[in-house]
Amino acid sequence: MSEGGSRTADPAAAARPGYERALDGACVWLAVAGGLVMLAFTAVSVGSIISRTFFGAPLVGDFELTERGTAIAIFAMLPYCHLRGGNVVVDMFVSRFPPALRRALAVVADILFAIVAALLTWRLTLGGINQYQFNDMSMMLQIPTWTMFVPLVFSTALLTLVCLARAARGGREFA
């Protein structure tokens, strides 16, 4: 439901308000961190395959690390993706609407997405607190489960801010 603006560098980016630049920077760094997490668990998976092939046994806890790493990486990349208008949009009918109506629908969609992201942030926070209170651990590696919730909560909180910023911009992504 985005306006379909350019995703190239914006020459007026320096003229953007400070909160937009800060939001953009936070999203970029979080996406890079998500990419590094993805590389790390990919290396663990490759190491496990090599270990299974040559030594007859996989690395202990490789599935636990892959499961957690995948969740963290995906959540870390969501704010950047939405900031840049990279989410999948089905606009078979909306593309025929006048630009003003498309922008209004984009604002409504961003506000609804902000509500969903805020609810996710709230529930993930409560889930992490619950896991901490019950001292839940992973099965093989005994990693405290609550530690995984910290980057997820941060990511969904940033996603909420991105949705609100896009709504304030009239539903347009940041270039």
Side-chain angles (χ1 to χ4, degrees), residues 23 79 117-118 120-121 151-163:
L23 195 60
L120 275 170
T121 303
L152 301 184
V153 167
F154 182 77
S155 296
T156 54
L158 187 58
L159 179 61
T160 303
L161 294 176
V162 166
C163 292

Side-chain angles (χ1 to χ4, degrees), residues 52-75:
R52 188 178 309 125
T53 302
F54 293 112
F55 305 113
L59 297 178
V60 175
D62 62 338
F63 283 101
E64 287 178 4
L65 294 174
T66 301
E67 172 185 74
R68 291 164 194 268
T70 301
I72 290 169
I74 289 170
F75 272 77

Side-chain angles (χ1 to χ4, degrees), residues 104-160:
L105 289 172
V107 169
V108 169
D110 279 321
I111 290 170
L112 291 174
F113 196 8
I115 291 168
V116 170
L119 287 171
L120 275 170
T121 303
W122 170 53
R123 297 309 300 176
L124 283 168
T125 300
L126 293 178
I129 291 169
N130 182 276
Q131 297 299 313
Y132 176 78
Q133 289 173 337
F134 288 101
N135 199 28
D136 189 52
M137 303 277 194
S138 66
M139 183 76 69
M140 302 295 289
L141 298 176
Q142 296 296 302
I143 300 170
T145 304
W146 70 269
T147 57
M148 186 182 109
F149 283 79
V150 174
L152 301 184
V153 167
F154 182 77
S155 296
T156 54
L158 187 58
L159 179 61
T160 303

